[in-house]
Amino acid sequence: MKPIADLRKTYELDELIEARASTSPFVQFGQWLQQALNSGI
């Protein structure tokens, strides 16, 4: 079994900037989901 530390992911590719975030949580989730799908996760 792998050590749990080996399962960690680095999420430094982007950041949440409140001024650029959608005011709608549904729209924001849709954007994040699309980014994840586009990245091949």
Side-chain angles (χ1 to χ4, degrees), residues 3-16:
I4 198 162
D6 291 347
L7 300 174
R8 290 186 184 142
K9 305 269 185 207
T10 300
Y11 299 100
E12 298 173 352
L13 297 177
D14 208 353
E15 61 184 314
L16 176 61

Side-chain angles (χ1 to χ4, degrees), residues 22-37:
S22 174
T23 57
S24 167
F26 301 107
V27 171
Q28 187 65 53
F29 178 79
Q31 291 171 352
W32 286 338
L33 180 59
Q34 192 60 53
Q35 288 173 347
L37 293 172

